[in-house]
Amino acid sequence: WSMVAAIPTPGAAPLSITSTNGAVTLSWPSAAAGYSLEQTSSLAVSGNTWTPVTSGQYQTNATEILVAVPLAPGNTFFRLHKP
């Protein structure tokens, strides 16, 4: 089984996620400038490494920034990070 969900972080830009056709699409408001999308396979405290999602996958429209990411086996967690 699988689950796709977004859990809000207080003070961060809202991140939405949908699953279709073997991929997930993540989106957030275009007004949330300066955030980058990162991913990791584990939420464990030790050894947790967040890596940037390739910026070549980003698309924008008038209101949102969108990124489509292929589904992979195992867990993948996403977050918006503002350096």
Side-chain angles (χ1 to χ4, degrees), residues 25-35 55-68:
T25 300
L26 299 110
S27 62
W28 61 96
S30 57
Y35 283 91
S55 61
Q57 300 171 349
Y58 287 49
Q59 300 175 17
T60 60
N61 62 29
T63 61
E64 293 180 303
I65 300 169
L66 303 107
V67 180

Side-chain angles (χ1 to χ4, degrees), residues 4-19:
V4 175
I7 300 169
T9 302
L15 180 64
S16 297
I17 185 168
T18 57
S19 174

Side-chain angles (χ1 to χ4, degrees), residues 38-61:
E38 296 180 337
Q39 64 185 5
T40 188
S41 60
S42 173
L43 294 178
V45 174
S46 66
N48 185 1
T49 302
W50 290 92
T51 57
V53 173
T54 307
S55 61
Q57 300 171 349
Y58 287 49
Q59 300 175 17
T60 60
N61 62 29

